[in-house]
Amino acid sequence: MGLAQDAHNVRVIGSGLQTIVLAHGFGTDQSVWKHLVPHLVDDYRVVMYDNMGAGTTNPDYFDFDRYSTLEGFAYDVIAILEELQISSCIYVGHSVSAMIGIIASITMPHLFTKIVTVSGSPRYVNEPNYFGGFDHKELTQLFDAMKSNYKAWCSGFAPLCVGGDMDSLAVQEFSRTLFNMRPDIALSVAQTIFYSDMRPFLGHVTVPCHIIQSMKDLAVPVTVSEYLHKNLGGESIVEVMPMEGHLPQLSSPDVLVPVLLRHIRYSIAITE
């Protein structure tokens, strides 16, 4: 096993000519894809990994400088693909991993036949003529809450983010993986994500993108998916789904999984 594979707990399962890479968002790990994976393994080679800083990774490997920008995470993706000798893949990126995949695709477009984004945003902060969903004051309060009592912050943030019933399995699952992160690493990653601005890079994307978004998402307003669609350099399609929350693969798998499968199969039909 290569260094990147080892550090990111890479798992390769299933078999098929086409490789699907599943990339998780903030506060989760590869287990977030558990409802999707069984539908893929018979037809595709599926690659899953954990982003550096996830509770399942070794905190000693987390380099605060490297991961102060999303590029650090994007170079990890490229390193994993190169170690596995993957020459092309369909990349499914949730939340921050949507933008991580977009950066990786600008650097190495030949590695990606398509990017499917789930709950992705290029900019979380409101700007003149741009509604990202948060103002600076709200983010300062969020980070202060993370610093003062991480466990209490997790139990408040998880149901808001999942957008479901407090006792739902999806909320419990997200609470578990969120709480598994080391608090100082979680704070650092959250700051990197919330302060990043990927808008200037969108025009450089040449890989086709399918943008999937919940109708109601605390972290990503619906207008953001339209913004992505208008500003991406390559072809793109938007689907706003009748789902609630930022982690639809946990809270609404019955709605999301068929859509993901359709996008994956559709692109294969095009490339064959």
Side-chain angles (χ1 to χ4, degrees):
M1 216 184 195
L3 286 172
Q5 291 171 71
D6 196 35
H8 296 276
N9 306 317
V10 172
R11 282 176 68 215
V12 183
I13 53 176
S15 59
L17 296 175
Q18 182 80 38
T19 299
I20 313 293
V21 174
L22 303 179
H24 69 84
F26 171 72
T28 60
D29 57 44
Q30 61 186 270
S31 67
V32 80
W33 299 109
K34 63 187 178 184
H35 299 297
L36 173 64
V37 172
H39 299 278
L40 294 175
V41 288
D42 289 344
D43 301 311
Y44 310 110
R45 183 182 182 216
V46 181
V47 175
M48 287 178 287
Y49 64 92
D50 298 328
N51 282 328
M52 196 49 66
T56 44
T57 60
N58 183 339
D60 295 342
Y61 292 165
F62 189 84
D63 179 331
F64 286 87
D65 287 335
R66 178 183 173 95
Y67 299 112
S68 63
T69 68
L70 297 184
E71 281 84 350
F73 295 97
Y75 294 137
D76 290 348
V77 174
I78 292 167
I80 291 166
L81 295 178
E82 289 183 337
E83 268 185 25
L84 292 171
Q85 299 182 327
I86 290 168
S87 55
S88 77
C89 72
I90 292 175
Y91 175 96
V92 181
H94 171 242
S95 189
V96 64
S97 280
M99 293 305 123
I100 291 167
I102 275 173
I103 299 169
S105 84
I106 295 170
T107 313
M108 295 276 195
H110 61 281
L111 293 178
F112 302 87
T113 44
K114 172 195 267 187
I115 293 173
V116 182
T117 72
V118 180
S119 317
S121 173
R123 177 68 167 158
Y124 292 90
V125 183
N126 300 329
E127 304 281 3
N129 307 317
Y130 177 81
F131 181 61
F134 295 87
D135 59 37
H136 284 282
K137 188 179 165 197
E138 285 173 306
L139 290 181
T140 303
Q141 289 168 343
L142 179 115
F143 298 139
D144 286 348
M146 288 179 83
K147 282 178 206 164
S148 66
N149 186 335
Y150 183 66
K151 188 172 186 179
W153 175 79
C154 288
S155 49
F157 183 72
L160 281 174
C161 202
V162 174
D165 169 24
M166 285 285 283
D167 304 320
S168 77
L169 287 172
V171 171
Q172 289 170 23
E173 180 65 12
F174 183 50
S175 302
R176 178 186 71 79
T177 54
L178 192 60
F179 189 60
N180 275 345
M181 293 182 82
R182 205 173 80 187
D184 58 333
I185 291 175
L187 176 65
S188 173
V189 174
Q191 288 171 329
T192 296
I193 292 167
F194 280 112
Y195 289 138
S196 65
D197 189 353
M198 292 304 303
R199 292 174 302 165
F201 300 94
L202 298 177
H204 299 289
V205 176
T206 55
V207 175
C209 294
H210 283 200
I211 302 155
I212 300 173
Q213 160 91 35
S214 294
M215 207 164 265
K216 190 176 172 197
D217 180 342
L218 164 91
V220 185
V222 169
T223 49
V224 167
S225 57
E226 209 40 60
Y227 181 90
L228 276 173
H229 177 52
K230 281 188 186 139
N231 290 279
L232 282 164
E235 290 172 49
S236 63
I237 296 169
V238 179
E239 282 197 62
V240 178
M241 305 299 303
M243 315 178 289
E244 188 174 325
H246 190 62
L247 293 101
Q249 68 274 59
L250 283 183
S251 59
S252 305
D254 50 331
V255 181
L256 181 66
V257 167
V259 175
L260 286 174
L261 294 174
R262 176 159 51 78
H263 284 307
I264 287 165
R265 288 175 184 143
Y266 171 69
S267 71
I268 287 173
I270 288 177
T271 52
E272 278 171 0

